Protein backbone atom coordinates (compact mmCIF):
# COMPACT_ATOMS: atom_id res chain seq x y z
CA UNK A 1 0.00 0.00 0.00
CA UNK A 2 1.19 3.46 -0.78
CA UNK A 3 1.50 5.81 2.14
CA UNK A 4 2.97 3.25 4.47
CA UNK A 5 5.85 5.51 5.27
CA UNK A 6 3.96 8.72 5.59
CA UNK A 7 4.40 8.67 9.33
CA UNK A 8 8.04 9.67 8.98
CA UNK A 9 9.44 13.11 8.36
CA UNK A 10 11.90 11.97 5.77
CA UNK A 11 10.24 13.22 2.64
CA UNK A 12 13.23 15.22 1.51
CA UNK A 13 15.45 12.19 1.51
CA UNK A 14 13.91 10.72 -1.57
CA UNK A 15 15.48 13.57 -3.51
CA UNK A 16 18.96 13.07 -2.11
CA UNK A 17 21.68 11.85 -4.40
CA UNK A 18 23.67 10.05 -1.70
CA UNK A 19 26.52 12.54 -2.04
CA UNK A 20 26.34 13.17 1.69
CA UNK A 21 27.91 10.43 3.73
CA UNK A 22 25.89 11.40 6.77
CA UNK A 23 22.60 10.54 5.16
CA UNK A 24 22.49 6.81 5.76
CA UNK A 25 23.84 7.16 9.25
CA UNK A 26 21.18 9.66 10.20
CA UNK A 27 18.57 7.44 8.76
CA UNK A 28 19.89 4.40 10.63
CA UNK A 29 19.89 6.32 13.89
CA UNK A 30 16.31 7.38 13.39
CA UNK A 31 15.26 3.79 12.80
CA UNK A 32 16.71 2.69 16.11
CA UNK A 33 15.07 5.38 18.15
CA UNK A 34 11.79 4.46 16.48
CA UNK A 35 12.21 0.85 17.45
CA UNK A 36 12.78 1.80 21.05
CA UNK A 37 9.81 4.10 20.99
CA UNK A 38 7.58 1.41 19.63
CA UNK A 39 8.12 -0.65 22.74
CA UNK A 40 6.79 2.16 24.88
CA UNK A 41 3.92 3.24 22.68
CA UNK A 42 0.36 2.91 23.78
CA UNK A 43 -2.19 2.32 21.07
CA UNK A 44 -3.20 5.98 20.86
CA UNK A 45 0.39 6.96 20.08
CA UNK A 46 0.64 4.63 17.13
CA UNK A 47 0.08 6.19 13.77
CA UNK A 48 -3.38 5.44 12.39
CA UNK A 49 -2.25 3.63 9.24
CA UNK A 50 -0.28 1.20 11.42
CA UNK A 51 -3.27 0.62 13.64
CA UNK A 52 -5.48 -0.16 10.66
CA UNK A 53 -2.83 -2.48 9.25
CA UNK A 54 -2.55 -4.23 12.62
CA UNK A 55 -6.29 -4.77 12.81
CA UNK A 56 -6.28 -6.22 9.32
CA UNK A 57 -3.40 -8.57 10.19
CA UNK A 58 -5.01 -9.71 13.41
CA UNK A 59 -8.33 -10.45 11.73
CA UNK A 60 -6.53 -12.23 8.91
CA UNK A 61 -4.73 -14.46 11.42
CA UNK A 62 -8.06 -15.30 13.00
CA UNK A 63 -9.48 -16.20 9.62
CA UNK A 64 -12.16 -13.55 9.88
CA UNK A 65 -11.14 -11.69 6.75
CA UNK A 66 -9.31 -12.34 3.52
CA UNK A 67 -6.97 -9.44 2.67
CA UNK A 68 -7.52 -9.87 -1.05
CA UNK A 69 -11.26 -9.56 -0.48
CA UNK A 70 -10.67 -6.14 1.08
CA UNK A 71 -9.18 -4.84 -2.12
CA UNK A 72 -12.21 -6.15 -3.96
CA UNK A 73 -14.51 -4.22 -1.63
CA UNK A 74 -12.58 -1.02 -2.15
CA UNK A 75 -12.58 -1.50 -5.90
CA UNK A 76 -16.27 -2.27 -5.90
CA UNK A 77 -17.25 0.81 -3.95
CA UNK A 78 -14.81 3.18 -5.53
CA UNK A 79 -14.90 2.10 -9.16
CA UNK A 80 -17.65 -0.31 -10.00
CA UNK A 81 -20.59 0.73 -7.89
CA UNK A 82 -19.64 4.33 -7.56
CA UNK A 83 -22.46 6.58 -8.60
CA UNK A 84 -23.06 4.57 -11.78
CA UNK A 85 -25.78 2.45 -10.24
CA UNK A 86 -27.64 5.51 -9.09
CA UNK A 87 -27.22 7.09 -12.52
CA UNK A 88 -28.89 4.07 -14.12
CA UNK A 89 -31.80 4.41 -11.73
CA UNK A 90 -32.23 8.07 -12.58
CA UNK A 91 -31.89 7.49 -16.32
CA UNK A 92 -34.59 4.83 -16.19
CA UNK A 93 -36.83 7.21 -14.28
CA UNK A 94 -36.31 9.92 -16.90
CA UNK A 95 -36.99 7.53 -19.75
CA UNK A 96 -39.92 5.63 -18.27
CA UNK A 97 -42.68 7.55 -16.44
CA UNK A 98 -44.08 4.36 -14.93
CA UNK A 99 -40.68 3.51 -13.46
CA UNK A 100 -40.36 7.05 -12.12
CA UNK A 101 -43.71 6.80 -10.40
CA UNK A 102 -42.63 3.48 -8.90
CA UNK A 103 -39.29 4.94 -7.80
CA UNK A 104 -41.00 7.78 -5.99
CA UNK A 105 -43.63 5.52 -4.42
CA UNK A 106 -41.49 2.51 -3.49
CA UNK A 107 -37.83 3.30 -4.05
CA UNK A 108 -36.46 0.17 -2.38
CA UNK A 109 -38.37 -2.08 -4.76
CA UNK A 110 -37.72 0.05 -7.82
CA UNK A 111 -33.98 0.21 -7.12
CA UNK A 112 -33.80 -3.50 -6.34
CA UNK A 113 -35.53 -4.16 -9.65
CA UNK A 114 -32.39 -2.91 -11.41
CA UNK A 115 -30.31 -5.30 -9.33
CA UNK A 116 -28.94 -2.83 -6.81
CA UNK A 117 -29.30 -3.64 -3.15
CA UNK A 118 -27.15 -4.52 -0.23
CA UNK A 119 -25.52 -3.15 2.84
CA UNK A 120 -26.76 0.16 4.12
CA UNK A 121 -28.91 1.01 1.17
CA UNK A 122 -32.12 -0.59 2.22
CA UNK A 123 -34.27 2.32 3.33
CA UNK A 124 -34.20 4.66 0.41
CA UNK A 125 -36.37 7.68 -0.25
CA UNK A 126 -36.33 9.28 -3.70
CA UNK A 127 -36.82 13.06 -3.92
CA UNK A 128 -37.83 14.56 -7.23
CA UNK A 129 -36.41 17.94 -8.20
CA UNK A 130 -38.73 20.22 -10.14
CA UNK A 131 -38.70 23.81 -11.30
CA UNK A 132 -40.36 24.71 -8.04
CA UNK A 133 -38.53 22.50 -5.55
CA UNK A 134 -34.85 21.60 -5.34
CA UNK A 135 -33.81 18.88 -2.90
CA UNK A 136 -30.37 18.47 -1.37
CA UNK A 137 -29.13 15.82 1.05
CA UNK A 138 -26.81 15.98 4.03
CA UNK A 139 -26.09 13.83 7.03
CA UNK A 140 -25.80 16.32 9.84
CA UNK A 141 -24.49 13.75 12.28
CA UNK A 142 -21.87 11.83 10.35
CA UNK A 143 -22.04 10.69 6.75
CA UNK A 144 -25.03 8.45 6.21
CA UNK A 145 -25.09 7.90 2.49
CA UNK A 146 -26.74 5.46 0.08
CA UNK A 147 -23.60 3.51 -0.81
CA UNK A 148 -25.12 0.82 -3.00
CA UNK A 149 -26.35 3.43 -5.45
CA UNK A 150 -23.85 6.25 -4.97
CA UNK A 151 -20.62 4.51 -4.00
CA UNK A 152 -18.58 6.15 -1.27
CA UNK A 153 -19.31 9.66 -0.09
CA UNK A 154 -17.04 12.41 -1.35
CA UNK A 155 -14.74 14.04 1.16
CA UNK A 156 -16.71 17.26 1.35
CA UNK A 157 -19.92 15.39 2.19
CA UNK A 158 -18.29 14.24 5.41
CA UNK A 159 -16.86 17.65 6.27
CA UNK A 160 -18.21 19.68 9.16
CA UNK A 161 -18.55 22.86 7.05
CA UNK A 162 -20.83 21.15 4.54
CA UNK A 163 -22.83 19.43 7.25
CA UNK A 164 -23.48 22.68 9.09
CA UNK A 165 -23.63 25.28 6.33
CA UNK A 166 -25.96 23.42 3.97
CA UNK A 167 -28.50 23.54 6.79
CA UNK A 168 -27.99 27.19 7.72
CA UNK A 169 -27.61 28.66 4.28
CA UNK A 170 -28.35 26.15 1.55
CA UNK A 171 -28.79 28.66 -1.24
CA UNK A 172 -25.30 30.07 -0.77
CA UNK A 173 -23.71 26.65 -0.43
CA UNK A 174 -25.43 25.46 -3.62
CA UNK A 175 -24.14 28.58 -5.38
CA UNK A 176 -20.63 27.61 -4.26
CA UNK A 177 -21.20 24.32 -6.07
CA UNK A 178 -22.14 26.34 -9.15
CA UNK A 179 -25.84 25.73 -8.66
CA UNK A 180 -27.49 29.14 -8.75
CA UNK A 181 -31.21 28.58 -8.41
CA UNK A 182 -33.93 31.11 -9.18
CA UNK A 183 -35.21 32.82 -6.08
CA UNK A 184 -38.57 31.26 -6.91
CA UNK A 185 -37.24 27.74 -6.37
CA UNK A 186 -37.71 26.27 -2.94
CA UNK A 187 -34.73 24.42 -1.53
CA UNK A 188 -35.32 21.48 0.76
CA UNK A 189 -32.44 20.05 2.78
CA UNK A 190 -32.88 16.46 3.91
CA UNK A 191 -31.04 14.82 6.77
CA UNK A 192 -29.94 11.33 5.85
CA UNK A 193 -29.49 9.02 8.82
CA UNK A 194 -28.82 5.37 9.47
CA UNK A 195 -32.43 4.44 8.79
CA UNK A 196 -33.41 6.67 5.88
CA UNK A 197 -31.17 7.43 2.91
CA UNK A 198 -32.26 10.01 0.41
CA UNK A 199 -31.61 9.91 -3.30
CA UNK A 200 -32.29 13.03 -5.31
CA UNK A 201 -33.87 12.60 -8.74
CA UNK A 202 -32.45 15.57 -10.63
CA UNK A 203 -34.40 17.34 -13.35
CA UNK A 204 -33.97 15.90 -16.82
CA UNK A 205 -31.88 18.38 -18.81
CA UNK A 206 -33.24 20.19 -21.84
CA UNK A 207 -32.36 18.79 -25.23
CA UNK A 208 -32.25 15.13 -24.20
CA UNK A 209 -35.41 13.96 -25.91
CA UNK A 210 -33.68 11.62 -28.35
CA UNK A 211 -31.20 10.06 -25.92
CA UNK A 212 -31.34 6.45 -24.82
CA UNK A 213 -30.93 5.38 -21.20
CA UNK A 214 -27.17 4.84 -21.43
CA UNK A 215 -26.66 8.33 -22.80
CA UNK A 216 -28.98 9.76 -20.18
CA UNK A 217 -27.12 7.96 -17.39
CA UNK A 218 -23.90 9.67 -18.47
CA UNK A 219 -25.51 13.01 -17.62
CA UNK A 220 -26.35 11.97 -14.06
CA UNK A 221 -23.46 12.97 -11.85
CA UNK A 222 -22.96 11.84 -8.29
CA UNK A 223 -23.34 15.42 -7.09
CA UNK A 224 -26.66 15.79 -8.88
CA UNK A 225 -28.00 12.81 -6.92
CA UNK A 226 -26.86 14.41 -3.66
CA UNK A 227 -28.57 17.55 -4.92
CA UNK A 228 -25.69 20.00 -4.84
CA UNK A 229 -25.71 20.30 -8.63
CA UNK A 230 -28.12 19.77 -11.49
CA UNK A 231 -27.66 16.99 -14.01
CA UNK A 232 -25.18 17.69 -16.79
CA UNK A 233 -26.32 19.11 -20.09
CA UNK A 234 -25.75 17.11 -23.26
CA UNK A 235 -22.98 18.18 -25.62
CA UNK A 236 -24.42 20.47 -28.27
CA UNK A 237 -24.97 18.50 -31.46
CA UNK B 1 -11.71 22.38 11.13
CA UNK B 2 -9.03 23.99 9.02
CA UNK B 3 -8.94 24.62 5.32
CA UNK B 4 -11.49 26.04 2.94
CA UNK B 5 -15.15 26.03 3.83
CA UNK B 6 -15.99 23.33 1.34
CA UNK B 7 -12.76 21.40 1.00
CA UNK B 8 -11.84 19.12 -1.85
CA UNK B 9 -14.82 19.80 -4.05
CA UNK B 10 -12.94 18.37 -6.99
CA UNK B 11 -11.38 15.40 -5.28
CA UNK B 12 -12.11 12.47 -7.55
CA UNK B 13 -11.68 9.76 -4.96
CA UNK B 14 -13.58 9.12 -1.81
CA UNK B 15 -10.54 8.07 0.21
CA UNK B 16 -7.83 10.51 1.20
CA UNK B 17 -5.36 7.71 1.96
CA UNK B 18 -5.17 3.96 1.42
CA UNK B 19 -5.56 3.21 5.11
CA UNK B 20 -8.96 4.89 4.97
CA UNK B 21 -10.10 2.50 2.26
CA UNK B 22 -8.68 -0.42 4.24
CA UNK B 23 -10.46 0.64 7.42
CA UNK B 24 -13.69 1.01 5.47
CA UNK B 25 -13.43 -2.36 3.73
CA UNK B 26 -12.61 -4.23 6.94
CA UNK B 27 -15.87 -3.18 8.53
CA UNK B 28 -17.91 -3.94 5.42
CA UNK B 29 -16.44 -7.46 5.14
CA UNK B 30 -16.93 -8.25 8.81
CA UNK B 31 -20.53 -7.07 8.56
CA UNK B 32 -21.06 -9.21 5.47
CA UNK B 33 -19.84 -12.21 7.46
CA UNK B 34 -22.65 -11.57 9.89
CA UNK B 35 -20.38 -10.70 12.83
CA UNK B 36 -22.51 -7.68 13.68
CA UNK B 37 -25.58 -5.84 12.49
CA UNK B 38 -24.99 -2.61 10.63
CA UNK B 39 -26.82 -0.40 13.18
CA UNK B 40 -24.50 -1.72 15.90
CA UNK B 41 -21.57 -0.26 14.05
CA UNK B 42 -23.39 2.90 12.96
CA UNK B 43 -24.30 3.69 16.58
CA UNK B 44 -20.68 3.38 17.67
CA UNK B 45 -19.48 5.48 14.77
CA UNK B 46 -21.93 8.23 15.68
CA UNK B 47 -20.87 8.09 19.32
CA UNK B 48 -17.21 8.26 18.34
CA UNK B 49 -17.77 11.27 16.09
CA UNK B 50 -19.72 13.04 18.81
CA UNK B 51 -17.08 12.30 21.42
CA UNK B 52 -14.23 13.49 19.16
CA UNK B 53 -15.61 16.09 16.75
CA UNK B 54 -12.14 17.17 15.62
CA UNK B 55 -10.91 13.68 14.93
CA UNK B 56 -10.71 12.74 11.23
CA UNK B 57 -13.68 10.75 10.02
CA UNK B 58 -11.92 7.48 9.25
CA UNK B 59 -10.02 7.58 12.54
CA UNK B 60 -13.44 7.60 14.20
CA UNK B 61 -14.48 4.79 11.87
CA UNK B 62 -11.47 2.68 12.85
CA UNK B 63 -11.86 3.34 16.58
CA UNK B 64 -15.54 2.45 16.43
CA UNK B 65 -14.61 -0.81 14.70
CA UNK B 66 -11.98 -1.72 17.28
CA UNK B 67 -14.33 -1.00 20.17
CA UNK B 68 -17.05 -3.11 18.63
CA UNK B 69 -14.72 -6.03 17.90
CA UNK B 70 -13.22 -5.93 21.40
CA UNK B 71 -16.66 -5.84 22.99
CA UNK B 72 -17.74 -8.75 20.83
CA UNK B 73 -14.72 -10.74 21.94
CA UNK B 74 -13.42 -11.01 18.39
CA UNK B 75 -10.25 -9.02 19.12
CA UNK B 76 -8.29 -8.80 22.36
CA UNK B 77 -7.05 -5.31 23.19
CA UNK B 78 -3.62 -6.60 24.26
CA UNK B 79 -3.10 -8.62 21.11
CA UNK B 80 -4.13 -5.64 19.02
CA UNK B 81 -1.57 -3.38 20.73
CA UNK B 82 1.15 -6.02 20.22
CA UNK B 83 0.23 -6.29 16.55
CA UNK B 84 0.28 -2.52 16.07
CA UNK B 85 3.72 -2.30 17.67
CA UNK B 86 4.90 -5.07 15.38
CA UNK B 87 3.68 -3.11 12.35
CA UNK B 88 5.60 -0.04 13.52
CA UNK B 89 8.76 -2.11 14.03
CA UNK B 90 8.39 -3.75 10.64
CA UNK B 91 7.98 -0.42 8.90
CA UNK B 92 11.00 1.05 10.68
CA UNK B 93 13.17 -1.89 9.69
CA UNK B 94 11.94 -1.61 6.13
CA UNK B 95 13.46 1.85 5.85
CA UNK B 96 16.88 0.79 4.64
CA UNK B 97 15.22 0.48 1.24
CA UNK B 98 16.57 3.75 -0.09
CA UNK B 99 15.35 5.45 -3.21
CA UNK B 100 17.32 4.69 -6.37
CA UNK B 101 17.10 7.39 -8.93
CA UNK B 102 18.90 5.56 -11.72
CA UNK B 103 18.04 2.25 -13.37
CA UNK B 104 19.01 -0.80 -11.35
CA UNK B 105 19.32 -2.86 -14.53
CA UNK B 106 19.71 -1.94 -18.15
CA UNK B 107 19.19 -4.09 -21.18
CA UNK B 108 21.16 -2.08 -23.72
CA UNK B 109 19.97 -1.23 -27.17
CA UNK B 110 21.24 -3.45 -29.87
CA UNK B 111 22.31 -2.52 -33.37
CA UNK B 112 19.87 -3.61 -36.09
Amino acid sequence: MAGQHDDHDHGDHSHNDHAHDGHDHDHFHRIHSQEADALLMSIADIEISARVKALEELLTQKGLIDPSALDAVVDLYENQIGPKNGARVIARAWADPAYKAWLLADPNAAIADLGFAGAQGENMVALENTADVHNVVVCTLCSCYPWPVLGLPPVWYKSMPYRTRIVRDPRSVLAEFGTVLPATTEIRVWDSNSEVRYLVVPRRPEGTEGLDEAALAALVSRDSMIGVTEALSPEPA
Amino acid sequence: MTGPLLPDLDRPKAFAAPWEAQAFALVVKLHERGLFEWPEFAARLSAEIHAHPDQPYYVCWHEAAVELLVDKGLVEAGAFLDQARAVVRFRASDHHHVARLTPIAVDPARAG
Side-chain angles (χ1 to χ4, degrees), chain A residues 13-185:
Chain A
H13 291 187
S14 60
H15 301 295
N16 280 0
D17 59 5
H18 298 276
H20 303 293
D21 287 337
H23 167 70
D24 284 339
H25 174 74
D26 287 345
H27 203 81
F28 186 73
H29 191 77
R30 187 174 297 130
I31 289 166
H32 273 248
S33 61
Q34 272 170 359
E35 264 181 318
D37 287 347
L39 295 173
L40 301 171
M41 278 180 187
S42 73
I43 197 71
D45 299 324
I46 294 175
E47 202 267 335
I48 181 65
S49 72
R51 281 188 270 158
V52 172
K53 183 71 182 164
L55 186 60
E56 179 198 326
E57 290 179 352
L58 208 52
L59 294 166
T60 303
Q61 287 167 19
K62 289 170 177 283
L64 292 174
I65 56 152
D66 169 5
S68 63
L70 295 185
D71 290 342
V73 171
V74 172
D75 180 62
L76 188 68
Y77 276 92
E78 196 152 76
N79 301 317
Q80 295 180 38
I81 293 182
K84 289 176 195 161
N85 288 357
R88 280 188 51 201
V89 171
I90 303 302
R92 172 69 56 87
W94 285 346
D96 178 350
Y99 183 83
K100 180 165 152 185
W102 188 22
L103 178 66
L104 295 173
D106 189 355
N108 292 336
I111 291 168
D113 188 59
L114 292 186
F116 311 136
Q120 301 105 46
E122 297 86 352
N123 305 302
M124 300 290 305
V125 172
L127 305 165
E128 185 185 15
N129 281 353
T130 66
D132 298 324
V133 176
H134 183 96
N135 299 286
V136 60
V137 180
V138 63
C139 172
T140 55
L141 181 61
C142 41
S143 67
C144 295
Y145 192 75
W147 287 328
V149 280
L150 292 191
L152 289 170
V155 171
W156 55 259
Y157 185 84
K158 295 176 289 192
S159 74
M160 186 67 86
Y162 176 74
R163 284 157 41 202
T164 53
R165 292 187 61 237
I166 193 70
V167 179
R168 286 188 205 138
D169 188 8
R171 203 169 290 272
S172 297
V173 173
L174 291 182
E176 289 169 34
F177 278 92
T179 307
V180 179
L181 295 169
T184 51
T185 300

Side-chain angles (χ1 to χ4, degrees), chain B residues 18-108:
Chain B
W19 68 263
E20 295 188 351
Q22 213 70 8
F24 168 80
L26 271 173
V27 173
V28 170
K29 284 314 270 190
L30 293 171
H31 166 64
E32 284 178 1
R33 275 187 74 115
L35 295 172
F36 50 85
E37 296 298 313
W38 193 257
E40 290 181 85
F41 175 73
R44 284 170 190 268
L45 176 59
S46 291
E48 188 69 30
I49 289 171
H50 265 198
H52 307 284
D54 295 330
Q55 192 163 260
Y57 178 79
Y58 278 110
V59 174
C60 294
W61 179 284
H62 169 77
E63 307 248 311
V66 171
E67 277 178 32
L68 179 61
L69 295 171
V70 169
D71 285 356
K72 293 248 170 204
L74 295 166
V75 165
E76 304 76 38
F80 175 54
L81 177 56
D82 288 345
Q83 192 73 33
R85 286 170 171 163
V87 170
V88 172
R89 281 197 301 275
F90 175 80
R91 290 184 180 180
S93 68
D94 190 38
H95 263 227
H96 65 274
H97 194 166
V98 296
R100 296 172 195 264
L101 301 179
T102 54
I104 58 170
V106 174
D107 187 342

Side-chain angles (χ1 to χ4, degrees), chain A residues 161-224:
Chain A
Y162 176 74
R163 284 157 41 202
T164 53
R165 292 187 61 237
I166 193 70
V167 179
R168 286 188 205 138
D169 188 8
R171 203 169 290 272
S172 297
V173 173
L174 291 182
E176 289 169 34
F177 278 92
T179 307
V180 179
L181 295 169
T184 51
T185 300
E186 177 178 310
I187 299 172
R188 295 178 186 166
V189 181
W190 302 77
D191 194 7
S192 212
N193 75 1
S194 60
E195 279 145 34
V196 181
R197 308 294 166 103
Y198 296 103
L199 176 70
V200 173
V201 181
R203 288 200 288 160
R204 181 172 176 162
E206 303 287 327
T208 56
E209 291 72 21
L211 299 183
D212 63 13
E213 274 184 42
L216 288 173
L219 302 175
V220 185
S221 66
R222 175 198 68 201
D223 289 358
S224 73

